[in-house]
Structure formats: C-alpha cells, structure tokens
C-alpha cells in the first residue's frame, strides 16, 4: 500500500475527500492468474502421469514383507568338516537347492530350479562343489559351495528314460581327476568333477533292457559295480572300469518270482530285495563273479506279518529295515548270509541313513514320536542293543509326525562325539536338533501354498489404560519430533537409524486388532502338507498354524484342495469369530471321499471336523446366500454330479430350496473338450435320496468343442467377491457405454491339439488360438475370437466386463496380450437425460441371462516382452479406483501394469476429447516401466499365484504373491488419494498451523497499529 | 468567529450543516483512544450540504492546507475512530459540506460540554421535512442519478468476470473452479443485499424500481455467465453419463458357479 499512499500524496492538489480502495491493477491480476494457471496445469500434468510404485530405499519394508522358504527337504548333505561355516546343503520337493547355516537355519544361498527340473540327487564333490542331478538325470550341475555360483553344467543324453543315480566317490583319483558317476537314461556317465567334462559313457540299452538300481564303488577299487534287474526277473551285475568305461564283467542270475521295489545294498557285495508277492526277502550275494540268491520267507522271520511289506531305503551297513503292518523290523545280515531279526520298533519310527562314526563304526538315528515330544536315539550299527545317545525333545503338536531325518556328527570340546539331527516334519517344517534341544526351525510348509483366504482381525477392545495412552502419546510425539529432525536434516546418524527403526517396527502395523484402513488382516494359507497358517499382514509373522486333523484321520493320502470363507460376521453374528472352510480329498481319484473342516480364523481351532464325508468333491461353489448366523451356503458337487448343500441345517436347506431354481453350475471337462451346464432338480429323485441336503442335478446345456481342432487350455471367471462400482463407462464427449457385467461369464481359451505342447511344437499354420466368452447359465457363447498362428500357454484375468489374456504369437515370435471388453447393447438406448432424471430407465431392473442381451465387444492386441507365470488384477473396496494388472513375470517378479495400457479403444491419433478422457495413443507393445515392479528388488521364487484383497481404504489394494517365497505389499493404483502417506509429518503440520496462527495474531496487531498510524498521519 | 462545539460522531455519519458558511471550516478531531488530536479543514461551504464523516485517514490529505486557527470557525468533534465501519462506502462523489448551526435539538445534551451550534441529535431523516422542496428535488435528482450509477456497476464486473473466465480455460482445476464459484457467488450475494445497496437513495420522490431491476438483471446475467462456465467445465449434470455414472450394476437373477474339477 506504500505506492498507493504515494499516489495519494501526488494527488493532493485536488481537494477531494473522495477515496475508495482502488481495485488491484488489472495487469497484475492477469499475470497472477496466468501464474496460477500455469502452476496448476503443471500440477495437473504431473498428477495425471502414470503412477508408478517406485519407492525410496528407506521405504523398503514399510508396508511390504518378503519371506524366503525352500520347501519340504528331500535330501540333505552336511558340510561341517574343515569348514568355517557349518552348513547343510538340501534339495527340496519345490526343486530348490539351498545351503543353510547350521547354527541359525538361515539361507546362505538358494537356487530354485524350474518346475520341470526336478532334483533327483545331490552330493558334495571335492569338498567344494555341490553336485545336483536333475530332470530325470539329464542335467548335472556343480555349484560352488561357499557362494552358490554355478561352476559347470553338463547335459547327459540317454537312449531311454530310467532311474537317476548319482555316485560321487570320496577319494577316487583317475588321472588327477575325480570322476562322478551318473546313471541316467539307461547309461552310465563318468563326468569330471572339476569341469564337468564327459569322460566316458557306457550305454546299457545295448545290454538288453536292464534297469540299474544301484551304482556302487567299493572302497579302494577302480571298478564301478552296477546292480540292476532285467524284466524284473533277472539280476544283473556289471563291473565297469572307472578309467574308460570298459565292461569288465557281467554276471546275471534269473529270478522268476519277480521283484518289488528297489534293490537295497547291505554291503559292498550284498543286496536285498523283495519279491513281487512281497512275502519273500531275496538276499543277493556276489561272490567270485557269481550271483547267489537266497530266499527267506518274511513269515519265517516275523510272525503274523501280512503282505504290505516294504524295505525302507535307509542305508545301514550290514542291517536293513523292513516295514510291515505291525511295525518296523531291523534285520541283520550275518557274514554267512543269515538274516537275524534284531529289533522291532513302532511303525511311526523314522530311520536315518548310517553315518560313519569313529573307528569304522557306523551310527544311525531313529526318531520315535511320543505325546507332545519326540525321542531321538542314535545307535551304532554294530551294537544295536543299546542307544548310543537318547534325547527327548518337546515338539509342537501342530508339526505332526517326523517324516525324514538326516544326522551328522561333530566332536565336542571334550573329544566326545555329538550328533545333530535335521528332521523334516509332517507339516514340511525343518528342525535342527542338537543336545536335546531344537536349535532352529524353519516353516518350510509355506513354500507350497495351495490356496489363500483372508480374514479380518478382531475389533479393538474399548478401554485402554490411561498410562498406556500417555505412554503411546509420548512415544508418538517423540517419534514425530525425531521425524521432524530428519526432515529438517538436523538428525545425527544415530537418530536417522532410530527413525528408520521406528518406521519399520511400528507397533501399529503388527497389532492384532482391526484398523481403520483395513490394512491389518490375517492371511490364511492352506499348504500342501495340509496345514493351515495364519499370517499377519503387518509383519508377516505366523499368528497361528494348525495341522488339520480332518486331513490326517485316515491312512489314505489326504490333501487340502480349496479354502473358502465360511462365516464372515458383519451384522448379526458379531460375537462369532470368522471361519474358513477347508475342502480336502482323501485319495488320488476324483471320486475319493472328501474331508471337510471348518477352522476358526482367529484361533486356528477346528470348529467342525467333517471328514472324511461320504461323498466326493470335484467342485465347491460358494452360493451368494447366507443364513442367520452369516454362514455362507456352499454347494459341493460330487463325482456323480450330485450337489451337497452345506451347512447342513434346516435353515440353509430352506434358503436353498427357495433359491434353487436360480442356481446353476457348470463343469469344464478339459480332456473331453466339453462345457456342461447343470441346474438343480427341485424334487428329489425317486431312487434313494441320500439325504435332504443332497440334490440331484440335471444337464441343461453342453458346449462341445471339436476335439480334432480345439483343446481347452484355460478357463477363467470373475472373482466372486469382486465389487463393481458402476455399469456405465464414460467415454469421450460425455458419451456412455454400458458394460456387460455378469458374474456368470466364463472365458475359455482353446488351441488346436497340435499346438497344445510347448512353443515351437507346431508351425504357425497349424496352431490356432480361439477364445470364447460363455454365459454359464444358458451356455450361450457371447463372443468368439480366433487368433491365427498363436498358441498357449494362456494366462487370463477376467474382471468387470473385460478379459486380458496372454499367449504366444508364433508368426511374430513374441508374446502378446489381448484385451476383450464386452458391452451391453440393449442398454445403450438409455441416453435421454430427462428420462434418467425422472428414473424412467431399465438400468436397475434385475437381469436374467435368458433375456438374450445384445452385446458388442471391443478388442485389441499388444506385444508384451515377458512370458507370464500368473496374472491378476487389483481389487478395491468399492471398485472406484482404476485397476492395475498384476503380472507375475518369468523372473518371478510382480509387475503392475495400468489397465489403461491395455485399452481396446486406444488409437494412433486420439482426439482431444479422447486425450482428456485419458486414452493413450496406440503403441504396438506394452511398456514395462522398471519402477512399476511391486516386488521392487525381491523375487518371489517359484511364483504360482497373486492374490489381491481390497483394503477398507478405497484407494488401496493388498497384494499377496506366493510361490516358494511369500511376498506381501499394498498398492494404490491411483495413488493414495484418500489418505496421507505413511511418512506424513504430523508434527510439522501442527507446527506450521501453530506458526500460522501466531503469525495471524502478530500481523493483525501490527496492521491495527499501522491503520491507526495511517489515520493519524 | 470561533465556535467550539463538541459532538460525538461516527465515521460515515452525515453531519448536516444547515447554515451556509462562507468561510472554510476547520475541524479538530479528537481520538478518544490515543488521546491525540487531528485536524480537518473543510473547503468553503457555499451551499447547503452534508458532511459525511468518513475515514479519518482522509483528513491527512488536507492537513498541510490548514489555515491558522484565528481566522476560521472551529468545530471540535470527538471521533470514535475505533469504529471504522462503512469505510469506503462513499460512492457519492464531490460531496459538499454543511453544518447546521441552528440549535434545533430538543433534547438537552447530557454531557458537560454543551452541544455545539449546528449539532442535532435528531436523526437527519426527520430533518427532511424542514428542507425546502427545491432542496428535496435536487437531492432526489441526485439520488436517482446515483441509484442508476449503482445499478449499472455490476456491468463492469460482468466484463471482468468474462475475461477472467476466458483466462481460466475449460479444464477443471483450482483456478477455474475458484473463478466460476466466485462468479456464481458474487451475483448471489449482491442480489441478497439489493435492498441495502439502494438504501441510501431511498426517497419518496425517487423511483428505485427501475435501477433495482437493472441491478438484478445484470447480476442474474453474471450468474448465468457463471452457470455457463460451470457447464463448459462439465460440472453440470446435463449428460446421460452424469446420471448413470453412479448406478450400480443391475442385480442378476441367476447364479452359476463351477469350473474345472478340483485336482
């Protein structure tokens, strides 16, 4: 106002009293407007850019966690002698080879081989290489023991498939080389352990169809003994020279009875095997180049044993163990070839291989399962009568029985020998026992997650003590002041570390109560071992774990199949805890009886154990109905196409009877290439209605794909719990398209049978990919599209009204991703604003699939660089937030791809209106932005699935990716527009507000004074 | 002649000078808060007029033109400067001064100081009857002229608003929304206060209806401009998309589930 004052002074020659506040100069205003506009446009542009999930280094671990597992251990080799780090090298059923720290159980290094690259054998060669034989013995690799680097790799080709055997002689030297002997593909291969060079190969295919069972190198000799069986009626032994593979001697002896199982070596020249009837033990002795067979009836050794006899594969020199129905029997083979029964133990006992102990003695361990504890005893082979060592270890019930044991010895400081045992439990967990204690445990069952469900946490109890509040308030303030210091760059390095620690270990995120944003959940995981785990999403810790008793009750192999929400209390039954339904199957065939179990999601207790139930289960259908206690109704379809209703209560039956005429189900028979749709018969059929909860179904429609040209390779439906916010899609110029949103839509992809193999097995002309959209109520094909020259594997995701699917284009030699959007044409007329205002439209009337909706589709294909392991889409609470595709890449990472990139309406030159709508110009390939990997630096090894769960906060979606590893994070596809970020500085905000208030007061007082001064000037 | 009078006036109050004074008046203002004095000299008061006591700051302008005390009449006013209400209300230009020196106050002053000559406690409206018809006519003319001026004022505003809107562009962001809403709000508040705006020009002789109507029409025009802008921003629900965007998907009658057999 200074200039104004001057102006006024200049004007004083005009004796005028008139004065009013002049408007601010107009030019200034325009300039201001321009500046604001410019900055706002900039802001707008920066916010409308494609959001990425890149994060700063110090943000890792704030809202994500990553857990590394290896799976159920198959083989273990200890490496403790002359090694700085005591370690054990293991191979697992998830095809992982890993080196574990024996002190703490941590992973030194780990390699996950492909799903088809099954590890057959592992061993350690030269004390520095880990040798693995995989892919049915066709790939031999050596890994550097300290760091896991691959040293060499050899591909072994054989003439036919056979067993895979690996023998790594301890101290055999052939021309300064230590060969490794591998039997695979009906050949014996000798390979240099130094560089993986092929030394020689001996093909057994020419020797007749011999099946080699054992490859033995008697100590000190330079002859490899191969013991095998020809046509299961003749024993063969071959002696092969280690230097050149020359066949030195071949002896054979016929055994007309046939054999069962494997030949087990007892000592260098003795073997034992069961005959085909499993009632006779055959002792094979090789003496002076002759094979002697000696038969002993098992009933002579063990009284009252039946036919289910098995020789256990534990290699105990001079002894072998036999499992019968009554228990395990140790049998000693004397020098004269006599069999002596030494001891009989319980059937559940697990025996390790023998371990060379002091002075040529051999020791082995056996584990016995007691009540809440296990007994580990180590015995010497020569002195079976007494336990060399006996330890009792307390064991969690939820780990089940011991499945495998590997032992290793060490020398204590007092020169006595100690033993450590690595045991694999029924739930696939790995434990190290030493001196009667569990040194460490690894929950490796989590490497084989089958299905995922989530559960809310309990509501927070009201009434927290004042002291606690004060304390937390103090902590809060302290934390924020620290943060403020950090923001203002005043913090010392120690304080920076403290800030990072506070951020990572915020007690908020790992609380066991429900939070306002819905970030804290329980992830309920069903593993292959039949164990249920509940993981906290905050920090990934195991809240509870249950070995499902319903899957263990029978002797048959029971396995969990599916996990369903059983009860989600929201309104009526808030006192009840939420629960999940586990559906399992006891047996291998589809018609095997099923096991059902209902598990409390808060405690892990099995509330109801319904297994094994009489009927089989091939499909589980969650009906959209709930009874008064908020239990979800489920239909279990058995192999005879009967529907079984659960829960089995009269109320549920009533609800179902009322709704049954609108309930349909369909089956996809991929082998036969048929889709069938069924309806539920209202009345029970005349012939023996099994119960009132069992319903007959009738076939309503079938879609038969011609088997000579099409083979079903993928089907996908919408997630049943997906929320769609609106049925309309706004397009450019305020126009509307109505989405065809149906939960009963099935996406089916078929390829020509020739092209169903791996890529390259068919020429482009032969392979055709056809995709269908099928209505599963009526069987009507809504849309069909053909991709010539393309083939699978197809990975697809269906959400709202669109499908995105990934396949290989043989002509372009590239992977492609196509999008198919389906719109309802019959609603397109609803465009009159007045009618819409007064509500005269048919948009909210219930729709029936029988009303034959007219649909139109839009589609577009894009190249995509990666091959894909899994594909999923984000889901949010209300379905308002834009969606991101979550693509599990071949590199075991999860890539978030904005759905806008796979929009079928993208064109080369979008109009202005389309640009405003957010339509991107057409490109031929989908961009892969390195920052949009949600797994950032981590790999989810062996990625199998990506699960998304909506948080309560609309902007945010919780993502859980599982494979051998587990990874959890939360992502906001449109950024967190509805909340402040985690590291928002509240203290700074408060300070700013305070400062502003003070400033307002100060300036107010000052301006008052100035006003007065002005007036009295 | 030195007349000393003490009157309490408020800023914005119109003091009537009834007798025409040929010599300039010099007014001493006394600030009751700061206990300081200020001066205001008034140019020659030739005809009957009013003095609206406006912002005291105005007095500073004339300060250096003060003429020695002895020559002029003096009026001493005690001003309550702490109440600077209606500052800047002065739409009337070229105001003349008049102090009524006839003591027609019926109510005796309650203060120690006797009421100065020309001061009256009776509201000036009641004085209208005492004014002559000519004066009334002149005032009426003047008032109606002023009323028309006031009525046309929104037009200028309208032009500026239009320009600002053009500047703001047609994309939705903070600035354009701010402009649009101010364009909607200004006419609305002006229409609410239409009575107040024309209050000073109320006169039995002046027909305020036409100016008022013009004022209202212009403001409505401004509002229409705002609405039009709102529409160009796409904030008016005039398209089908605005009515269906929040419609949830229709309920499906049938339910179907199933898939590939579990394995």
């Amino acid at each position: 106002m200074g200039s104004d004052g001057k102006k006024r002074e200049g004007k004083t020659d005009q004796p005028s009293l008139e004065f009013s506040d002049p408007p601010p100069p107009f030019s200034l205003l325009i300039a201001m407007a321009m500046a604001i506009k410019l900055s706002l446009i900039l802001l707008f542009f920066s916010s409308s850019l494609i959001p990425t999930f890149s994060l700063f280094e110090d943000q890792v671990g704030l809202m994500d966690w990553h857990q590394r597992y290896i799976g159920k251990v198959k083989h273990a080799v200890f490496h403790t002698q002359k090694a700085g780090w005591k370690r054990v090298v293991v191979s697992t059923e998830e095809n992982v080879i890993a080196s574990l720290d024996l002190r703490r159980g941590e992973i030194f290094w780990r390699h996950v081989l492909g799903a088809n690259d099954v590890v057959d054998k592992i061993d350690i060669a030269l004390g520095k290489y880990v040798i693995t034989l995989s892919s049915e013995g066709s790939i031999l690799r050596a890994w550097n023991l300290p760091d896991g680097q691959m040293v060499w790799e050899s591909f072994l080709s054989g003439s036919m498939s056979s067993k895979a055997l690996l023998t790594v002689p301890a101290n055999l030297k052939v021309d300064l080389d230590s060969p490794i002997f591998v039997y695979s593909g009906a050949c014996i291969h000798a390979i240099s352990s130094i560089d993986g060079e092929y030394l020689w190969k001996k093909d057994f295919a020419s020797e007749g169809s011999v099946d080699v069972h054992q490859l033995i190198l008697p100590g000190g000799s330079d002859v490899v003994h191969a013991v095998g069986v020809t046509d299961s009626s003749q024993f063969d032994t071959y002696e092969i020279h280690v230097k050149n593979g020359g066949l030195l001697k071949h002896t054979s002896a016929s055994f007309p009875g046939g054999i069962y199982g494997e030949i087990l070596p007892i000592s260098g020249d003795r073997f034992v095997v069961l005959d085909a009837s499993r009632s006779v033990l055959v002792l094979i002795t090789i003496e002076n180049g002759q094979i002697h067979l000696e038969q002993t009836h098992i009933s002579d050794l063990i009284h009252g044993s039946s036919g289910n006899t098995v020789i256990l594969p534990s290699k105990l020199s001079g002894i072998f163990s036999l499992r019968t129905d009554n228990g395990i029997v140790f049998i000693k083979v004397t020098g004269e070839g006599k069999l002596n029964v030494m001891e009989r133990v319980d059937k559940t006992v697990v025996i390790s291989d023998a371990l060379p102990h002091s002075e040529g003695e051999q020791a082995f361990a056996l584990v016995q399962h007691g009540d809440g504890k296990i007994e580990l005893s180590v015995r010497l082979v020569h002195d079976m009568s007494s336990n060399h060592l006996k330890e009792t270890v307390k064991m969690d019930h939820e780990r089940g029985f011991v499945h495998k044991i590997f032992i290793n010895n060490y020398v204590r400081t007092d020169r006595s020998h100690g033993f450590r045992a690595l045991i694999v439990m029924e739930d696939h967990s790995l434990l190290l026992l030493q001196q009667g204690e569990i040194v460490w445990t690894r929950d490796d069952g989590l490497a084989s997650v089958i299905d995922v469900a989530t559960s809310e946490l309990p509501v927070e109890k009201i009434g927290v003590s004042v002291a606690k509040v004060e304390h937390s308030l103090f902590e809060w303030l302290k934390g924020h002041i620290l943060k403020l210091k950090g923001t203002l760059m005043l913090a010392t390095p120690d304080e920076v570390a403290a800030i990072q620690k506070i951020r990572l270990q915020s007690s908020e995120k790992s609380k066991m109560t429900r939070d306002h944003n819905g970030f804290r959940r329980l992830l309920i995981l069903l593993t292959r071992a039949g164990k249920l785990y509940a993981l906290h999403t905050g920090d990934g810790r195991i809240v509870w774990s249950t070995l499902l008793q319903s899957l263990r009750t029978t002797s048959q192999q029971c396995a969990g199949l599916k996990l369903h929400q059983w009860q989600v209390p929201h309104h009526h039954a808030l006192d009840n805890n939420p629960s999940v339904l586990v559906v399992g199957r006891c047996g291998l065939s589809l018609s095997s009886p099923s096991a059902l179990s209902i598990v409390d999601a808060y405690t892990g207790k099995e509330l109801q154990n319904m297994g094994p139930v009489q009927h089989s289960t091939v499909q589980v259908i969650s009906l959209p109905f709930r009874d008064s206690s908020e239990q979800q109704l489920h239909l279990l379809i058995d192999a005879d196409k009967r529907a079984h209703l659960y829960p089995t209560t009269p109320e549920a039956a009533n609800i179902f009877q009322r709704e049954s005429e609108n309930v349909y189900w369909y089956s996809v028979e991929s082998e036969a290439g048929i889709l069938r749709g069924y309806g539920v018969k209202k009345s029970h059929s005349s012939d023996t209605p099994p119960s009132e909860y069992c319903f007959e179904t009738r076939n309503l429609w079938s879609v038969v794909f011609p088997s000579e040209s099409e083979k079903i390779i993928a089907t996908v439906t919408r997630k049943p719990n997906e929320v769609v916010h609106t049925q309309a899609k706004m397009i450019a110029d305020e126009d509307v398209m109505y989405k065809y949103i149906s939960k009963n839509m099935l996406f089916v992809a078929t390829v020509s049978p020739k092209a169903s193999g791996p890529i390259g097995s068919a020429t482009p002309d032969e392979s055709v990919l056809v995709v269908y959209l099928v209505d599963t109520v009526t069987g009507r094909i809504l849309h069909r599209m053909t991709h010539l020259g393309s083939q699978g594997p197809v990975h697809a995701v269906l959400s709202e009204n669109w499908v995105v699917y990934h396949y290989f284009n043989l002509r372009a030699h590239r992977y492609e991703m196509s999008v198919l959007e389906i719109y309802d044409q019959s609603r397109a007329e609803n465009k009159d604003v007045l009618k819409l205002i007064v509500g005269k439209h048919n948009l909210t009337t219930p729709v029936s699939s029988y009303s034959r909706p007219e649909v139109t589709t839009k589609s577009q294909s894009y190249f995509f660089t990666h091959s894909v392991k899994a594909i999923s889409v984000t889901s949010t609470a209300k379905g308002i937030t834009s969606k991101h595709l979550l693509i599990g890449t071949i590199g075991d990472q999860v890539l978030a791809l904005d759905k806008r990139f796979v929009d079928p309406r993208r064109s080369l030159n979008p109009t202005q209106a389309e640009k405003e709508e957010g339509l991107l110009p057409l490109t031929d390939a989908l961009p892969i932005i390195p920052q949009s990997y949600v797994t950032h630096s981590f790999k989810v090894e062996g990625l199998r699935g990506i699960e998304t769960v909506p948080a309560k906060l609309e902007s945010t979606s919780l993502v859980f990716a599982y494979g051998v590893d587990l990874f959890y994070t939360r992502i906001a596809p449109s950024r967190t527009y509805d909340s402040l970020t985690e590291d928002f500085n509240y203290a700074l905000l408060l300070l700013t507000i305070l400062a502003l208030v003070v400033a307002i007061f100060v300036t107010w007082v000052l301006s008052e004074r100035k006003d007065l001064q002005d007036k009295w000037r | 002649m030195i007349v000393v009078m003490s009157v309490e006036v408020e800023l914005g109050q119109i003091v009537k000078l009834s007798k025409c004074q040929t010599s300039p008046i010099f007014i001493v203002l006394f600030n009751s808060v700061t206990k300081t004095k200020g001066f205001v000299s008034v140019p020659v008061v030739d005809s009957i007029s009013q003095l609206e006591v406006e912002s005291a700051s105005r007095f500073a302008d004339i300060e250096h033109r003060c003429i020695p005390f002895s020559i002029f009449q003096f009026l001493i006013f005690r001003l309550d400067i702490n109440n600077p209400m209606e500052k800047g209300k002065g739409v009337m230009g070229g105001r003349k001064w008049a102090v009524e020196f006839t003591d027609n106050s019926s109510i005796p002053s309650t203060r120690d100081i006797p009421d100065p000559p020309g001061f009256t406690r009776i509201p000036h409206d009641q004085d209208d009857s005492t004014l002559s018809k000519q004066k009334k006519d002149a005032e009426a003319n003047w008032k109606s002229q002023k009323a028309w001026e006031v009525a046309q004022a929104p037009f200028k505003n309208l032009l500026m608003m239009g320009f600002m809107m053009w500047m703001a562009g047609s994309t939705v962001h903070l600035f354009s929304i701010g402009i649009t809403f101010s364009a909607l709000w200004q006419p609305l508040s002006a229409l609410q206060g239409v009575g107040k705006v024309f209050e000073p020009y109320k006169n039995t002789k002046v027909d305020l209806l036409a100016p008022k109507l013009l004022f209202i029409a212009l403001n409505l025009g401004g509002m229409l401009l705002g609405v039009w802008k709102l529409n160009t921003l796409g904030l008016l629900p005039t398209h089908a998309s605005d009515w269906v965007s929040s419609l949830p998907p229709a309920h499906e009658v049938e339910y179907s589930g199933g898939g590939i057999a579990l394995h």
Side-chain angles (χ1 to χ4, degrees), chain A residues 21 232 245 282 335 428 488 583 666 749 805 809 813 837 895 901 953:
Chain A
D21 270 342
S232 68
V282 183
H428 299 184
L488 302 174
V583 181
Y666 65 94
Y805 52 100
N809 187 334
H813 304 287
I837 291 172
L895 177 76
F901 285 117
L953 206 61

Side-chain angles (χ1 to χ4, degrees), chain A residues 243 512 901:
Chain A
K243 268 192 181 155
M512 272 304 293
F901 285 117

Side-chain angles (χ1 to χ4, degrees), chain B residues 117-164:
Chain B
F119 171 71
T120 169
R121 284 186 188 278
I122 303 157
H124 53 269
D125 298 48
Q126 293 171 7
D127 292 347
D128 287 352
S129 56
T130 60
L131 289 169
S132 69
K133 193 159 191 236
Q134 270 184 343
K135 278 178 193 169
K136 270 187 180 173
D137 281 349
E139 196 179 311
N141 272 339
W142 179 78
K143 276 189 173 174
S144 84
Q145 193 191 334
K146 286 287 144 191
W148 278 110
E149 264 176 46
V150 169
Q152 281 161 10
F155 184 70
K156 213 165 55 182
N157 226 345
L158 209 69
L159 286 181
M160 190 165 102
M161 221 61 222
F163 182 73
M164 293 281 277

Side-chain angles (χ1 to χ4, degrees), chain A residues 17 26 37 585 618-619 622 662 664-666 668 726-727 730 742-744 776 846-850 1016-1017, chain B residues 31 38 58 60 63 81 97 160 167 175 238-239 241 243 245 247-248 250-257 259 262:
Chain A
L17 274 176
F26 210 55
K37 188 176 174 182
R585 180 183 293 151
V618 292
Q619 264 161 41
S622 269
N662 284 328
Y664 300 83
W665 67 277
Y666 65 94
V668 179
T726 173
Q727 53 177 304
M730 299 330 125
S742 169
K743 281 200 154 73
N744 305 326
T776 54
V847 283
S848 164
S849 292
Y850 288 106
W1016 287 102
R1017 203 142 36 112
Chain B
N31 186 332
R58 154 155 335 164
E63 193 183 355
I81 297 175
W97 290 67
M160 190 165 102
M167 285 296 303
F175 190 65
T238 51
H239 293 94
S241 56
W243 293 91
S245 62
L247 274 183
H251 174 72
E252 272 185 284
V253 177
E254 292 94 357
Y255 180 82
S256 171
L262 298 174

